[in-house]
Amino acid sequence: MRRVLELTFKTSTEKTFTLQIQNPKADLTKEFVEQAMNKIMKLNLLNLSKGELVSIHSAQYIERNTRPLIK
């Protein structure tokens, strides 16, 4: 199973920006993820056409299973 951590932020232009992190740890807490997202916003490392990151919108794990039918 493949797991992705999807972090979604609101921007200064009233849009959303989503950052996907491949293969995250499975036991991340809400508090840890909130702290990490706040740090990402504070560092302001991303130059986005959608504006600056201004708040947390959501965070979620996405898990995908692949079952080959033909190899």
Side-chain angles (χ1 to χ4, degrees):
M1 177 174 18
R2 195 174 119 198
R3 180 179 291 127
V4 174
L5 177 61
E6 187 174 87
L7 308 175
T8 305
F9 300 87
K10 289 186 181 179
T11 69
S12 58
T13 59
E14 305 281 328
K15 298 187 180 190
T16 58
F17 171 76
T18 302
L19 180 62
Q20 290 189 340
I21 300 171
Q22 304 294 318
N23 302 313
K25 292 182 178 180
D27 60 349
L28 298 176
T29 65
K30 175 184 175 187
E31 293 77 18
F32 180 85
V33 172
E34 283 179 339
Q35 287 175 1
M37 292 178 79
N38 283 321
K39 187 175 268 188
I40 291 169
M41 286 188 294
K42 183 179 178 182
L43 291 173
N44 197 24
L45 296 173
L46 305 171
N47 185 14
L48 307 174
S49 60
K50 296 180 177 185
E52 291 184 21
L53 305 178
V54 294
S55 65
I56 294 172
H57 180 268
S58 63
Q60 60 189 357
Y61 282 115
I62 298 174
E63 297 177 342
R64 295 183 180 121
N65 288 323
T66 303
R67 189 180 77 195
L69 295 174
I70 301 173
K71 281 190 170 183

